[in-house]
Amino acid sequence: MAAEAGTPTPADVYRARARIAGRVARTPLLSSPRLARACGADTVSLKLEMLQLSGAFKLRGATNALLALAPEVCARGVVTASTGNHGRALAYAARAEGVACTVCLSGLVPENKAAAVRELGAEVVRTGDDQDAAVAEALRLAAEHGFSYIPPFDHAEVIAGQGTIGLELLEDAPDLDTVIVPLSGGGLLAGVALIVKAINPAVHIVGVSPERGAAMIESLRAGYPVEVAEEGTLADSLGGGIGLDNRHTFALVRGLVDEVVQVSEGEIAAAMRGLYRHERLVTEGAAAVGAALLARGGVPGGGGRVAALITGNNVDMDAFTRLVREND
């Protein structure tokens, strides 16, 4: 396994932007007057990370971490464990650089996400019933074959890559008051909070998790990383623990994030329907948690100008079609 840098800094986010330039999309903001009315904000802007070529924001961190490896290390191949989107992103980045890639997925990962990884030329290893089992297998393969393990969130270069979203946000909407970010292992939230707080400490940063299996939120309540049983959820990309040996994301989220909130399965489903019917967006459940929070009414941090990250669209379309045809 390759050596990793220490906890990321804002300078690492700027370096990540230079490293991944031309390999990831600069995604647009879409105004949502509907959600602004629902929550009482002056404006709501949706950051459309589902427009990345891999279908989710994860391409930023995966590409940055891969490109940060020394060429001789990269040549031995990379491996990861994923709830789907990070694996797809790493497979995409690895194929672009001609690097062998293996992705370990638990039985909870939907088959459409496993198939998408295979289509990009990566080897998929199905193992266990939760993300912890997938991580254990990925680490075993790294040790056995000399692969570099690139985890989905608790990695300095992954965090820095995700932080480039925050740079784009404040360049395109410099007067933001609140930024709402989906929360699982915390790589996205840590990266965005790291750079946004460095540029404007007054911005209110909110992390949103589903009610089921919110490992980071339970860890924050306990004051240290804890294990939480992984449960099935519409927001399947937000599943999995944060790791009892968490090195980066727990401390960054605890130190930089102003508020964490949970939304129900019903709220997530309604948000997916709303984003499709009104903003014409196809989203997976994890991407809709910010919209679910805003649709509830009220704005964390008190209102004003709000941005919510719409993080991915890697959803089984048959299941999505059934969901959006349902009545709220």
Side-chain angles (χ1 to χ4, degrees):
M1 292 170 56
E4 184 196 338
T7 297
T9 67
D12 292 315
V13 180
Y14 284 100
R15 279 190 284 270
R17 178 162 70 171
R19 188 179 284 135
I20 67 178
R23 291 177 167 87
V24 304
R26 182 186 180 98
T27 55
L29 290 174
L30 174 69
S31 178
S32 176
R34 172 184 69 93
L35 287 173
R37 290 192 298 271
C39 68
D42 294 337
T43 63
V44 169
S45 300
L46 306 177
K47 177 70 166 165
L48 303 186
E49 279 297 298
M50 15 83 74
L51 297 180
Q52 293 294 346
L53 292 172
S54 67
F57 77 95
K58 290 281 192 177
L59 188 60
R60 295 174 183 264
T63 300
N64 188 51
L66 183 72
L67 295 177
L69 295 173
E72 65 274 14
V73 173
C74 208
R76 293 197 292 268
V78 294
V79 65
T80 194
S82 174
T83 53
N85 285 340
H86 173 70
R88 185 174 182 178
L90 186 61
Y92 185 98
R95 185 177 69 172
E97 301 300 321
V99 175
C101 178
T102 301
V103 178
C104 298
L105 304 174
S106 81
L108 285 178
V109 176
E111 181 53 32
N112 71 292
K113 293 191 174 184
V117 173
R118 292 190 192 96
E119 288 170 5
L120 288 167
E123 179 180 355
V124 171
V125 176
R126 284 283 201 174
T127 181
D129 297 323
D130 57 28
Q131 178 71 352
D132 290 341
V135 169
E137 179 62 10
L139 291 172
R140 186 191 70 78
L141 291 172
E144 180 177 333
H145 299 289
F147 299 151
S148 290
Y149 175 58
I150 299 180
F153 56 88
D154 194 31
H155 184 283
E157 301 294 1
V158 170
I159 295 166
Q162 318 306 25
T164 61
I165 297 171
L167 277 178
E168 291 179 14
L169 270 177
L170 292 190
E171 288 169 352
D172 292 343
D175 56 354
L176 284 175
D177 297 298
T178 300
V179 176
I180 300 175
V181 184
L183 171 60
S184 177
L188 174 61
L189 181 57
V192 170
L194 177 66
I195 195 65
V196 168
K197 288 290 190 181
I199 296 171
N200 184 357
V203 175
H204 193 81
I205 307 288
V206 184
V208 187
S209 295
E211 290 180 347
R212 297 179 179 176
M216 180 63 81
I217 289 181
E218 292 303 320
S219 296
L220 292 170
R221 288 171 179 161
Y224 52 86
V226 299
E227 291 183 348
V228 173
E230 190 170 349
E231 303 178 61
T233 170
L234 278 172
D236 55 83
S237 294
L238 299 182
I242 70 166
L244 297 182
D245 59 347
N246 187 286
R247 293 172 293 172
H248 305 300
T249 60
F250 175 76
L252 287 167
V253 169
R254 181 173 60 177
L256 295 171
V257 174
D258 298 291
E259 188 174 352
V260 292
V261 185
Q262 291 172 268
V263 291
S264 71
E265 295 298 297
E267 288 176 311
I268 296 169
M272 293 170 70
R273 285 191 287 269
L275 288 168
Y276 178 73
R277 293 171 181 172
H278 300 284
E279 284 77 27
R280 301 296 189 261
L281 300 178
V282 174
T283 60
E284 57 190 278
V289 295
L293 176 62
L294 293 174
R296 179 185 289 176
V299 181
R305 296 164 293 273
V306 179
L309 273 58
I310 307 298
T311 48
N313 64 6
N314 293 323
V315 62
D316 179 278
M317 286 307 298
D318 289 337
F320 180 81
T321 300
R322 290 193 295 272
L323 184 148
V324 297
R325 285 177 174 169
E326 295 174 0
N327 294 320
D328 290 330

